[in-house]
Structures are given as C-alpha cells and as structure tokens.
Amino acid sequence: MSSSGSKSDSQSGSQSAGRGPQPTVAGLLPTDTTADVRARAAGAGRQVAVLPVGSYEQHGPYLPLATDTLVACAIAQEIAAAYPVHLLPPVTIACSHEHAAWPGTVSISATTLHAMVRDIAASLRRSGVEALVVVNGHGGNYVLGNVVQESTAAGHRMALFPAMEDWDAARERAGVQTSLLSDMHAGEIETSILLHCHPELVRPGHETTDFLADDRRHLLSLGMSAYTDSGVIGRPSLASAAKGKELLAGFVHSFGAYFSLVTSDAWDKGAVPPEMPSATASSGD
C-alpha cells in the first residue's frame, strides 16, 4: 500500500514543536452569561441544548488533531445562529482508538463518553432544558447512537445529528465530488469546512495527499494504519472554502427537522410531528 502522503511527510509540518507557545483556536467556547441563558429560555417553548462532540486524533500532515471538534463546533455554531438553542462547549476527546498508531491521538473509552453525555443531559434537565441534540463530528463515536437510543427509550428528548442522510444532502448541495464511502478521513468534506472556518489551520499538503481505500471491512480489528500510511482516506485536493460554506448551510437546513422533532408535543406520543419536513424536503434547497 502506498500513498502520496507518507508517515515521514506527516512529521514535516511539526518543525516548530517545542519552540514557543503552540497555536490555539479562539471562539470555540460559548460566551453566554447566566442572564443570557435565562433570557433565551423566557422566549422558548421547550428549551433545546446543542452539544458538539469531536475527537483529538490525527488528520494527516495538514489538518490539526482537533479537526473533528472544529467541524462539530462549526456545525453547532451555525445551528445556534439560526435556531433558539443553548450552545454548549464541546467534548474534545472521544473514541479515536482506530487512530492510535499516530502520535498525538488521545482517546477515552466508549463507557466514559456514554457517561459524559448521559450526565450532561441529566444536568440540563435539572435546570429546565428538556431536549439535547448531540452534534457528532467523529464517525468513530459509535456509542453516541446508543446514548440516544437508551435516553429516548427512557422518555427523554434527545437526538443525534447529523445523520448519514444529512451528510449526503449537504455533500450534494455543496457539490462535493467524493462519495461518503471514499471521503472517510481528512478528505474533501473536512478539509473544505476548515478552509472555510479556519483556513489558517490548514497546512500545505492537502493538494497532493489524495488516497482512497474503499474496502475497509477490517477497520475495527486492524485500525486505520492497515489502510493508509498518511492517515488520509479521501480526496482533499478537491476541497475548497466555498464547498465548506455550502456544507454548513446544508446542515443548518437539515437541522430544522430535528428541532421540530425534539420540541414537538407529538414526541410523548411517539408520533412524527406533522410540521416536520419529509426526507425529500430536507435534502437541500
């Protein structure tokens, strides 16, 4: 197996390691005061919180370890600008065990992530926020689906966003050429979103690091290193800031169905609210 981006290449962008302060990203944490939250709640029927969940894992030689968190935050921030929701700070370390072969990757157990989201939801309910939408930026956070299943079975209002259909609708809206199967990691979608939101964090190299590995049936057993040397699976050379902007717009559009669902009176009856857009209607403008 070969790729235009090797493991040695991935280390070339770290020349300044240990030489002064490391760069950080401003604007990731909400700046609400308790008065802001109280005022927003006063005008809402049912309160909804949005929790971005990312990861801290390798994304090839040109995207930061925090890429999934940055993507989840970008989606959540756009949602918060369009809907009356409480934006929460992100969960920045999650389940990235398949990337353990690369330096910098940090993981927590699925049990810990499950407990964190469950505890956050319970705390929100105690303060009067009935509904929680988890915005997931990392495909390896499989346990989030279990958290939502168990919570809704217990009668709590919770949803996981975006679904595969939402990713696909956003991809089509933005003109992303790579399929979701091929665009697995640090590819056209993630690179486009960062080129739009945080272009200063995208280092040189994405133009020449395309690598495809569509048959990944043993990924859970062998990890990412069995399928890519660079850590990249996708076509980042096709990324653009314009695509990133349209991807986020697509997610904002799709979120309307989720907001209708978790705030609807029909929730307690187990029925789909009539005002909720159909799958066709929510597939893009």
Side-chain angles (χ1 to χ4, degrees), residues 13-85:
S14 61
Q15 297 175 357
S16 62
R19 301 178 186 175
Q22 298 181 28
T24 57
V25 180
L28 283 185
L29 298 181
T31 59
D32 274 348
T33 67
T34 188
D36 295 329
V37 175
R38 184 179 293 113
R40 190 183 303 113
R46 283 192 171 89
Q47 297 182 64
V48 179
V50 171
L51 175 67
V53 179
S55 72
Y56 199 72
E57 65 187 35
Q58 71 84 20
H59 275 79
Y62 50 84
L63 294 183
L65 295 162
T67 290
D68 288 341
T69 298
L70 295 172
V71 169
C73 285
I75 296 171
Q77 287 166 1
E78 291 292 319
I79 288 170
Y83 297 89
V85 300

Side-chain angles (χ1 to χ4, degrees), residues 144-204:
L144 294 178
N146 299 118
V147 179
V148 172
Q149 286 177 321
E150 294 168 15
S151 296
T152 56
H156 304 310
R157 294 173 182 260
M158 190 182 292
L160 181 61
F161 181 81
M164 189 64 68
E165 293 83 357
D166 303 311
W167 282 102
D168 205 37
R171 185 185 65 82
E172 292 181 13
R173 174 185 179 128
V176 170
Q177 299 177 51
T178 317
S179 70
L180 288 178
L181 173 65
S182 298
D183 198 62
M184 187 261 186
H185 193 69
E188 187 176 359
I189 289 177
E190 290 184 319
T191 306
S192 291
I193 291 176
L194 261 67
L195 283 172
H196 170 60
C197 296
H198 302 286
E200 74 283 0
L201 300 182
V202 182
R203 301 189 185 188

Side-chain angles (χ1 to χ4, degrees), residues 59 235 238 243:
H59 275 79
R235 294 193 290 175
L238 300 177
K243 291 178 181 178

Side-chain angles (χ1 to χ4, degrees), residues 174-264:
V176 170
Q177 299 177 51
T178 317
S179 70
L180 288 178
L181 173 65
S182 298
D183 198 62
M184 187 261 186
H185 193 69
E188 187 176 359
I189 289 177
E190 290 184 319
T191 306
S192 291
I193 291 176
L194 261 67
L195 283 172
H196 170 60
C197 296
H198 302 286
E200 74 283 0
L201 300 182
V202 182
R203 301 189 185 188
H206 71 276
E207 306 90 345
T208 57
T209 319
D210 289 6
F211 182 75
L212 299 181
D214 286 353
D215 186 347
R216 304 183 296 271
R217 69 187 69 190
H218 302 300
L219 177 66
L220 295 180
S221 298
L222 301 177
M224 281 281 289
S225 60
Y227 295 96
T228 172
D229 292 330
S230 67
V232 176
I233 296 179
R235 294 193 290 175
S237 68
L238 300 177
S240 71
K243 291 178 181 178
K245 181 178 180 180
E246 284 302 308
L247 282 162
L248 293 178
F251 290 131
V252 171
H253 181 81
S254 293
F255 185 78
Y258 293 78
F259 187 80
S260 295
L261 179 63
V262 298
T263 58
S264 173

